[in-house]
PDB file of all heavy atoms in Angstrom:
ATOM      1  N   ALA B 169      71.767 205.711 168.546  1.00 91.00           N
ATOM      2  CA  ALA B 169      71.574 204.720 169.643  1.00 91.00           C
ATOM      3  C   ALA B 169      72.914 204.075 170.070  1.00 91.00           C
ATOM      4  O   ALA B 169      73.145 203.806 171.241  1.00 91.00           O
ATOM      5  CB  ALA B 169      70.576 203.651 169.166  1.00 91.00           C
ATOM      6  N   ASP B 170      73.797 203.870 169.070  1.00 93.00           N
ATOM      7  CA  ASP B 170      75.069 203.260 169.347  1.00 93.00           C
ATOM      8  C   ASP B 170      75.997 204.110 170.184  1.00 93.00           C
ATOM      9  O   ASP B 170      77.011 203.607 170.699  1.00 93.00           O
ATOM     10  CB  ASP B 170      75.782 202.867 168.064  1.00 93.00           C
ATOM     11  CG  ASP B 170      75.116 201.679 167.340  1.00 93.00           C
ATOM     12  OD1 ASP B 170      74.307 201.009 167.990  1.00 93.00           O
ATOM     13  OD2 ASP B 170      75.399 201.492 166.161  1.00 93.00           O
ATOM     14  N   CYS B 171      75.671 205.398 170.456  1.00 93.00           N
ATOM     15  CA  CYS B 171      76.539 206.220 171.238  1.00 93.00           C
ATOM     16  C   CYS B 171      76.483 205.703 172.694  1.00 93.00           C
ATOM     17  O   CYS B 171      77.344 206.121 173.516  1.00 93.00           O
ATOM     18  CB  CYS B 171      76.091 207.677 171.163  1.00 93.00           C
ATOM     19  SG  CYS B 171      76.539 208.413 169.627  1.00 93.00           S
ATOM     20  N   LEU B 172      75.537 204.855 173.085  1.00 91.00           N
ATOM     21  CA  LEU B 172      75.477 204.373 174.426  1.00 91.00           C
ATOM     22  C   LEU B 172      76.275 203.084 174.581  1.00 91.00           C
ATOM     23  O   LEU B 172      76.461 202.565 175.667  1.00 91.00           O
ATOM     24  CB  LEU B 172      74.012 204.011 174.794  1.00 91.00           C
ATOM     25  CG  LEU B 172      73.112 205.211 175.173  1.00 91.00           C
ATOM     26  CD1 LEU B 172      71.717 204.683 175.344  1.00 91.00           C
ATOM     27  CD2 LEU B 172      73.653 205.788 176.463  1.00 91.00           C
ATOM     28  N   MET B 173      76.801 202.620 173.418  1.00 93.00           N
ATOM     29  CA  MET B 173      77.463 201.291 173.402  1.00 93.00           C
ATOM     30  C   MET B 173      78.663 201.301 174.303  1.00 93.00           C
ATOM     31  O   MET B 173      79.534 202.193 174.110  1.00 93.00           O
ATOM     32  CB  MET B 173      77.803 200.951 172.011  1.00 93.00           C
ATOM     33  CG  MET B 173      78.156 199.450 171.818  1.00 93.00           C
ATOM     34  SD  MET B 173      78.528 199.132 170.079  1.00 93.00           S
ATOM     35  CE  MET B 173      76.901 198.934 169.441  1.00 93.00           C
ATOM     36  N   PRO B 174      78.854 200.344 175.186  1.00 93.00           N
ATOM     37  CA  PRO B 174      80.095 200.270 175.996  1.00 93.00           C
ATOM     38  C   PRO B 174      81.269 200.016 175.087  1.00 93.00           C
ATOM     39  O   PRO B 174      81.212 199.382 174.088  1.00 93.00           O
ATOM     40  CB  PRO B 174      79.853 199.094 176.919  1.00 93.00           C
ATOM     41  CG  PRO B 174      78.430 198.679 176.801  1.00 93.00           C
ATOM     42  CD  PRO B 174      77.960 199.244 175.544  1.00 93.00           C
ATOM     43  N   MET B 175      82.456 200.529 175.494  1.00 95.00           N
ATOM     44  CA  MET B 175      83.668 200.444 174.666  1.00 95.00           C
ATOM     45  C   MET B 175      84.056 198.980 174.474  1.00 95.00           C
ATOM     46  O   MET B 175      84.478 198.627 173.358  1.00 95.00           O
ATOM     47  CB  MET B 175      84.809 201.186 175.395  1.00 95.00           C
ATOM     48  CG  MET B 175      84.614 202.688 175.476  1.00 95.00           C
ATOM     49  SD  MET B 175      84.484 203.471 173.845  1.00 95.00           S
ATOM     50  CE  MET B 175      82.686 203.730 173.742  1.00 95.00           C
ATOM     51  N   GLY B 176      83.848 198.145 175.461  1.00 95.00           N
ATOM     52  CA  GLY B 176      84.144 196.707 175.301  1.00 95.00           C
ATOM     53  C   GLY B 176      83.406 196.106 174.158  1.00 95.00           C
ATOM     54  O   GLY B 176      83.922 195.301 173.391  1.00 95.00           O
ATOM     55  N   GLN B 177      82.132 196.502 174.005  1.00 96.00           N
ATOM     56  CA  GLN B 177      81.336 195.917 172.955  1.00 96.00           C
ATOM     57  C   GLN B 177      81.818 196.386 171.635  1.00 96.00           C
ATOM     58  O   GLN B 177      81.905 195.622 170.639  1.00 96.00           O
ATOM     59  CB  GLN B 177      79.848 196.368 173.107  1.00 96.00           C
ATOM     60  CG  GLN B 177      78.942 195.728 172.162  1.00 96.00           C
ATOM     61  CD  GLN B 177      77.445 196.116 172.372  1.00 96.00           C
ATOM     62  OE1 GLN B 177      77.129 196.931 173.217  1.00 96.00           O
ATOM     63  NE2 GLN B 177      76.593 195.553 171.559  1.00 96.00           N
ATOM     64  N   THR B 178      82.303 197.676 171.508  1.00 96.00           N
ATOM     65  CA  THR B 178      82.794 198.112 170.264  1.00 96.00           C
ATOM     66  C   THR B 178      84.081 197.395 169.905  1.00 96.00           C
ATOM     67  O   THR B 178      84.376 197.068 168.704  1.00 96.00           O
ATOM     68  CB  THR B 178      83.144 199.641 170.219  1.00 96.00           C
ATOM     69  OG1 THR B 178      84.241 199.895 171.129  1.00 96.00           O
ATOM     70  CG2 THR B 178      81.933 200.460 170.649  1.00 96.00           C
ATOM     71  N   SER B 179      84.893 196.992 170.909  1.00 96.00           N
ATOM     72  CA  SER B 179      86.111 196.229 170.678  1.00 96.00           C
ATOM     73  C   SER B 179      85.725 194.851 170.126  1.00 96.00           C
ATOM     74  O   SER B 179      86.371 194.370 169.168  1.00 96.00           O
ATOM     75  CB  SER B 179      86.898 196.090 171.957  1.00 96.00           C
ATOM     76  OG  SER B 179      87.951 195.180 171.741  1.00 96.00           O
ATOM     77  N   GLU B 180      84.706 194.179 170.717  1.00 96.00           N
ATOM     78  CA  GLU B 180      84.323 192.908 170.246  1.00 96.00           C
ATOM     79  C   GLU B 180      83.764 192.999 168.813  1.00 96.00           C
ATOM     80  O   GLU B 180      83.976 192.135 167.949  1.00 96.00           O
ATOM     81  CB  GLU B 180      83.298 192.256 171.173  1.00 96.00           C
ATOM     82  CG  GLU B 180      83.876 191.873 172.532  1.00 96.00           C
ATOM     83  CD  GLU B 180      84.875 190.718 172.470  1.00 96.00           C
ATOM     84  OE1 GLU B 180      85.017 190.129 171.366  1.00 96.00           O
ATOM     85  OE2 GLU B 180      85.485 190.410 173.478  1.00 96.00           O
ATOM     86  N   ASN B 181      83.071 194.123 168.477  1.00 96.00           N
ATOM     87  CA  ASN B 181      82.572 194.303 167.159  1.00 96.00           C
ATOM     88  C   ASN B 181      83.687 194.423 166.142  1.00 96.00           C
ATOM     89  O   ASN B 181      83.659 193.805 165.063  1.00 96.00           O
ATOM     90  CB  ASN B 181      81.751 195.663 167.083  1.00 96.00           C
ATOM     91  CG  ASN B 181      80.420 195.536 167.805  1.00 96.00           C
ATOM     92  OD1 ASN B 181      79.932 194.427 168.036  1.00 96.00           O
ATOM     93  ND2 ASN B 181      79.784 196.645 168.031  1.00 96.00           N
TER      94      ASN B 181
END
Side-chain angles (χ1 to χ4, degrees):
Chain B
D170 288 345
C171 287
L172 281 174
M173 195 179 278
M175 294 298 101
Q177 187 178 1
T178 69
S179 172
E180 291 293 354
N181 288 342

